[in-house]
Amino acid sequence: MQFTNGTVQVFILLGFEVGQLQRLLILTFFTLIYLLAMAENITIIILVVLDTHLARLPMYIFLSNFSWLEICYLNTNIPRMLLDLALSNKIISFSACFLQFYIFCSLVSTECFFLSSMALDRYLAICHPLRYPQIMSPNFCYVLITASWVLGFLSYLVPVTLISKLSFCGPYVIDHFLCDHGPIMALACPPIPKAPIISQIFVDAVVILGNIVFVVLSYGSVIVTLMKNSSKGNRVKSFSTISLHLLVVTLYYGPAAGIYVKLGVADPHVTKIVTLCYTAITPFLNPMIYCLRNDQMKEALLRLWRRKAVFLKCKIDSEKKRKGTGNM
């Protein structure tokens, strides 16, 4: 995909207007967050792929693919931000800017559909336990995952393309550390056509608000079912799991809804902080939230560790035997 515009060739990403010491602190902190978040999400994917038990369970199929989505999120924005902090290289080409804008918006949309798919999984597991194994088969999980990616990347194709065709007025400075809707639209020359604005608002409303309503209804039904039908012990255990899912949903939709469904002009500094929350902090926290109190993930990690220990022991024994044979 290539975006072109006759009125501008490059933009300048203003980034963080801070002193040298603050810039170094931000660079160090978010480099650490980036590396830890990558390690956490890669670990979850490896555990689910290598553990035959987890690989068949719908929740972990979603979780491993959700971790892959978080890795995409991290690598769309954070490396560029860290590079700009380290080298003060603030220039980005028009095509690269709009490609980042499109991928970023598409990932936001994809995560909305992912969270709805995971909410559907919990709804079926708790509200329809007898039918759950037949409905939520691994094949159906992969259908939902594929649909989330496809719908996510189709949703913002029209709005981003329409915005890229606008005329932009100088000095072409984007007051952000990435190319996003609000700062880009602030550079558009008046009068701004209604089509890009209407299409963006429509997609935001359908994708973000629509998925929020679906998630709220799904978890609302789950909570009502647990209050009515579960024993006290099962209720506590189920509420513990659901509370973690709700925490992840809140961490994501809180900042995202504040940025993408806003009625007024947001302060640039607030926008940068909020964007950092769901592009860097949330991918770092989500693996810990999902796995901290998850006994199955801990057991899978122990099984993988034992398999590695057995493999290393066999390898060492094999080397000893080979050396012993060579000395005879």
Side-chain angles (χ1 to χ4, degrees):
M1 180 179 295
Q2 186 174 4
F3 298 98
T4 58
N5 187 296
T7 62
V8 57
Q9 298 299 318
V10 297
F11 289 113
I12 298 172
L13 290 172
L14 203 57
F16 301 95
E17 296 181 282
V18 293
Q20 191 66 32
L21 178 60
Q22 291 92 331
R23 182 183 294 271
L24 180 61
L25 290 173
I26 293 172
L27 175 61
T28 304
F29 177 75
F30 281 103
T31 299
L32 183 61
I33 290 291
Y34 171 75
L35 294 175
L36 289 173
M38 288 290 293
E40 290 171 347
N41 285 288
I42 289 171
T43 300
I44 289 177
I45 293 172
I46 291 172
L47 278 177
V48 175
V49 169
L50 295 183
D51 192 280
T52 53
H53 174 65
L54 293 185
R56 294 193 300 266
L57 299 178
M59 190 173 88
Y60 296 98
I61 293 173
F62 285 121
L63 187 56
S64 61
N65 282 274
F66 188 72
S67 291
W68 171 247
L69 175 63
E70 299 286 48
I71 289 171
C72 294
Y73 236 134
L74 286 164
N75 287 287
T76 300
N77 307 306
I78 303 303
R80 168 78 202 204
M81 183 193 80
L82 296 176
L83 187 66
D84 288 348
L85 284 167
L87 303 178
S88 298
N89 177 31
K90 299 184 176 183
I91 296 175
I92 184 170
S93 70
F94 182 91
S95 296
C97 181
F98 270 86
L99 183 60
Q100 184 191 55
F101 176 33
Y102 170 68
I103 294 174
F104 177 60
C105 289
S106 298
L107 291 174
V108 170
S109 178
T110 302
E111 185 149 351
C112 291
F113 289 114
F114 254 92
L115 291 173
S116 291
S117 297
M118 295 169 80
L120 176 63
D121 173 65
R122 291 300 85 200
Y123 167 77
L124 291 173
I126 294 172
C127 299
H128 301 281
L130 298 179
R131 298 173 59 196
Y132 176 72
Q134 287 76 34
I135 298 174
M136 197 59 72
S137 64
N139 287 338
F140 185 62
C141 291
Y142 287 115
V143 168
L144 289 175
I145 289 165
T146 303
S148 297
W149 282 102
V150 171
L151 291 174
F153 274 78
L154 287 177
S155 298
Y156 283 91
L157 185 58
V158 172
V160 173
T161 302
L162 290 174
I163 292 171
S164 71
K165 302 302 180 185
L166 297 175
S167 296
F168 295 95
C169 299
Y172 309 131
V173 175
I174 296 175
D175 194 1
H176 211 322
F177 62 85
L178 55 81
C179 295
D180 200 6
H181 173 257
I184 289 176
M185 289 299 292
L187 301 181
C189 300
I192 301 173
K194 292 181 180 180
I197 299 173
I198 292 172
S199 64
Q200 179 78 28
I201 292 173
F202 175 77
V203 172
D204 285 346
V206 171
V207 172
I208 297 179
L209 290 180
N211 279 289
I212 287 176
V213 170
F214 183 85
V215 167
V216 169
L217 291 176
S218 297
Y219 284 118
S221 300
V222 166
I223 291 170
V224 171
T225 301
L226 289 175
M227 294 297 292
K228 284 182 178 180
N229 302 330
S230 299
S231 63
K232 186 177 180 180
N234 290 336
R235 189 183 305 162
V236 171
K237 184 178 179 180
S238 298
F239 267 122
S240 176
T241 303
I242 295 302
S243 64
L244 297 180
H245 284 253
L246 289 174
L247 180 57
V248 170
V249 169
T250 304
L251 281 172
Y252 179 73
Y253 275 124
I259 291 294
Y260 287 93
V261 190
K262 55 183 180 285
L263 299 178
V265 178
D267 180 81
H269 298 293
V270 175
T271 300
K272 292 172 191 177
I273 293 170
V274 173
T275 305
L276 273 175
C277 283
Y278 68 88
T279 57
I281 304 299
T282 300
F284 166 70
L285 292 176
N286 282 347
M288 291 192 291
I289 292 170
Y290 275 121
C291 301
L292 191 62
R293 297 177 63 185
N294 192 314
D295 292 335
Q296 287 181 310
M297 291 295 287
K298 293 176 184 176
E299 290 168 5
L301 187 59
L302 286 173
R303 285 194 295 269
L304 182 62
W305 183 260
R306 290 193 197 103
R307 284 166 59 187
K308 184 180 178 182
V310 170
F311 173 76
L312 289 174
K313 186 176 182 299
C314 291
K315 189 174 181 181
I316 292 169
D317 291 342
S318 177
E319 288 292 329
K320 286 180 178 178
K321 288 180 181 178
R322 190 180 304 160
K323 287 180 180 178
T325 304
N327 292 331
M328 287 181 179

